[in-house]
Amino acid sequence: MSKVLGLTGGIASGKSAVSTLFKKQGAAVIDADLIAHQIVEPNQPGLTAIIAAFGSDYLLADGRLNRQKLGQLVFADPEALQKLDQLTHPLIRQEILRQTVAYRAADRDLIVYDIPLLFETGYDQLCDAVLVVDVAPQIQLVRVEQRDHLTEAAAKARIASQMSHDERLARADFVLDTSKPIDDLPKTFAAFWYSSAFQKFLAN
Ligand SMILES: CC(C)(COP(=O)(O)OP(=O)(O)OC[C@H]1O[C@@H](n2cnc3c(N)ncnc32)[C@H](O)[C@@H]1O)[C@@H](O)C(=O)NCCC(=O)NCCS
Ligand SMILES: Nc1ncnc2c1ncn2[C@@H]1O[C@H](COP(=O)(O)OP(=O)(O)OP(=O)(O)O)[C@@H](O)[C@H]1O
């Protein structure tokens, strides 16, 4: 029977890099960020709902969602973020569950839920265990600023819209620290994968 491992962590903690290593080990990865992007492609129901709620100012000239503009709004305004979440999360959930059914039917040994808001949205209840990708908060801030080209204030607002670092860690079954440079990640991941605790999880 398939095992489901939740993979979560704060923004820019390194989940995508870690999920690539899970794929190399043969795991089936369900990527919530990717699904969140797909449901707001032109002609998809998520985009229609967002434009109905927020207005056509949030469309680019080519008909795609203006992600930057919507991000500036919602990460500075908790009520707008809540409204966006109410529109998008049911659509994301439907697709996560569809993929889960397909991977279970294919009898995949390990299904990984790569979901930034895993605890916030209750997906941990569908997981057999949760791995938290952790990064020292001061390094996380720099990564968000650099990767997403955000000011320090905007980066802090995005981090603050998620569960706190300490609360996430307290709810983890496994923790993988990505504070070291990315070149070290394969070694850190191998140490986690071959640890007796994770091997026991896979075997039971
Ligand atoms: C607001 C949007 C348009 C900004 O797009 P942008 O391209 O700048 O960011 P992107 O989608 O690549 O997300 C980057 C990271 O931001 C964080 N993040 C995204 N959405 C949220 C949210 N609703 N709450 C808290 N953090 C979030 C995650 O860590 C994510 O990995 C976009 O994030 C969005 O549509 N969010 C709602 C959907 C959602 O909840 N996605 C998270 C998957 S569960
Ligand atoms: N040791 C490391 N492990 C993972 N990522 C690292 C590491 N060092 C630096 N990075 C960088 O941190 C950034 C964030 O990584 P990644 O995109 O994998 O995070 P994420 O958790 O998937 O982010 P988000 O949830 O915000 O999409 C990338 O630019 C990546 O190159």
Side-chain angles (χ1 to χ4, degrees):
M1 208 171 98
S2 308
K3 287 255 162 59
V4 177
L5 178 74
L7 169 64
T8 194
I11 180 166
S13 55
K15 290 180 299 300
S16 303
V18 172
S19 85
T20 301
L21 297 172
F22 272 109
K23 282 183 205 152
K24 280 194 183 163
Q25 292 288 346
V29 175
I30 300 180
D31 180 338
D33 270 342
L34 179 65
I35 295 170
H37 284 236
Q38 288 168 342
I39 58 150
V40 297
E41 292 277 309
N43 303 318
Q44 292 301 310
L47 183 59
T48 312
I50 288 172
I51 297 312
F54 292 93
S56 53
D57 283 359
Y58 290 92
L59 281 178
L60 294 167
D62 65 1
R64 305 181 76 81
L65 178 65
N66 188 336
R67 308 184 63 86
Q68 197 188 1
K69 187 168 174 167
L70 188 57
Q72 276 165 3
L73 171 76
V74 298
F75 294 114
D77 176 351
E79 271 182 33
L81 181 61
Q82 201 184 6
K83 188 157 99 177
L84 178 66
D85 287 347
Q86 278 166 0
L87 298 174
T88 55
H89 287 185
L91 297 169
I92 296 170
R93 189 175 181 87
Q94 204 178 10
E95 178 59 15
I96 288 175
L97 297 181
R98 190 196 67 75
Q99 291 187 20
T100 305
V101 168
Y103 285 135
R104 281 194 191 280
D107 209 16
R108 298 292 293 260
D109 289 337
L110 180 61
I111 301 172
V112 174
Y113 276 6
D114 176 357
I115 307 184
L117 306 175
L118 184 110
F119 291 124
E120 291 91 328
T121 46
Y123 286 102
D124 53 316
Q125 286 160 28
L126 304 180
C127 297
D128 297 301
V130 176
L131 167 64
V132 167
V133 176
D134 187 44
V135 58
Q138 67 276 20
I139 298 176
Q140 179 189 26
L141 182 61
V142 174
R143 284 190 192 163
V144 179
E145 285 174 43
Q146 289 179 349
R147 189 197 60 179
D148 297 338
H149 310 290
L150 293 175
T151 61
E152 185 179 335
K156 281 185 172 163
R158 284 208 184 202
I159 292 169
S161 73
Q162 301 185 339
M163 178 178 274
S164 78
H165 173 254
D166 288 350
E167 192 180 351
R168 206 182 282 113
L169 279 183
R171 295 175 64 168
D173 297 296
F174 301 102
V175 178
L176 195 152
D177 191 328
T178 62
S179 301
K180 287 189 190 159
I182 196 151
D183 292 352
D184 288 27
L185 188 62
K187 214 169 102 192
T188 313
F189 181 81
F192 156 73
W193 182 275
Y194 293 106
S195 66
S196 53
F198 189 65
Q199 286 299 314
K200 198 168 149 197
F201 164 76
L202 287 178
N204 286 332

